[in-house]
Amino acid sequence: ILNVEQSPQSLHVQEGDSTNFTCSFPSSNFYALHWYRWETAKSPEALFVMTLNGDEKKKGRISATLNTKEGYSYLYIKGSQPEDSATYLCAPYYGGSQGNLIFGKGTKLSVKP
Amino acid sequence: DAGVTQSPTHLIKTRGQQVTLRCSPKSGHDTVSWYQQALGQGPQFIFQYYEEEERQRGNFPDRFSGHQFPNYSSELNVNALLLGDSALYLCASSLMRGGRQPQHFGDGTRLSIL
């Protein structure tokens, strides 16, 4: 059973703070890494899909990096805003018989105005 | 352009009953995956359908079964419901199998077992 770890479990920051989360995953047979944002009472929304070691993706104030050799990814939010409050899920995808996305438990971010 | 739609939004059943959940994928998508999210956990993969066949399956018992129709919509069936089946069931669609395409999720069906 593959284990995907996300840290921290929860985070409370003030508006304007920058923050980052970590996703750790087994690197063997790795194929792609997905990040999703899940706001309360909404459906999960795709942020990034990354595949290559050293990949860096950016979407507005949010960016992510990927290290496939050591099996981790960082998600950064610059200048957090209250609307960034959500649970951020990472999910590696493995080829072969491992199935579909393997989700971590997520990092719950709360941004206070 | 309609996104992924799931029905019903909420459902209450008793132990031993059977339930069917439905999902319509985003327009243009041909692959549907189902996930179960228990309280405090991340979504857990149940199975994936492509070209009307189950292509991948997670660690779920045979009580969980599914179907994909020619219009790409899908159903998740759960027989002999247990208390532990209480969860949020998410449907996600994507274009093509494989992990390089983002998945688009519906709002989920909240299933409660009494």
Side-chain angles (χ1 to χ4, degrees), chain B residues 99-114:
Chain B
R100 292 177 188 255
Q101 298 294 325
Q103 296 196 359
H104 294 251
F105 286 83
D107 291 338
T109 293
R110 175 73 62 185
L111 176 64
S112 298
I113 310 301
L114 303 179

Side-chain angles (χ1 to χ4, degrees), chain B residues 10 14 17 24 28 30 44 46 57 74 76 88 94 99 106 114:
Chain B
H10 294 87
T14 57
Q17 285 189 310
S24 292
D30 56 9
Q44 189 174 357
I46 303 175
R57 189 178 182 93
S74 177
L76 164 65
L88 179 69
S94 59
L114 303 179

Side-chain angles (χ1 to χ4, degrees), chain B residues 11 13 17-21 76-79 81 111:
Chain B
L11 204 49
K13 292 285 187 179
Q17 285 189 310
Q18 178 265 343
V19 68
T20 297
L21 311 182
L76 164 65
N77 301 293
V78 187
N79 294 322
L81 286 165
L111 176 64

Side-chain angles (χ1 to χ4, degrees), chain A residues 30-100:
Chain A
F30 168 87
Y31 192 71
L33 192 283
H34 293 222
W35 279 101
Y36 292 85
R37 174 170 60 197
W38 195 354
E39 296 179 65
T40 303
K42 294 188 178 180
S43 55
E45 171 197 3
L47 289 173
F48 307 113
V49 178
M50 297 184 288
T51 57
L52 300 176
N53 186 46
D55 244 357
E56 184 168 342
K57 299 251 181 173
K58 190 173 181 180
K59 184 177 182 179
R61 293 178 292 97
I62 304 176
S63 61
T65 61
L66 178 65
N67 183 319
T68 61
K69 294 183 179 180
E70 296 183 38
Y72 64 84
S73 176
Y74 295 134
L75 187 79
Y76 302 92
I77 302 178
K78 183 178 179 181
S80 301
Q81 300 296 309
E83 57 265 32
D84 296 327
S85 296
T87 295
Y88 291 81
L89 294 163
C90 76
Y93 182 95
Y94 297 91
S97 61
Q98 297 296 342
N100 212 266

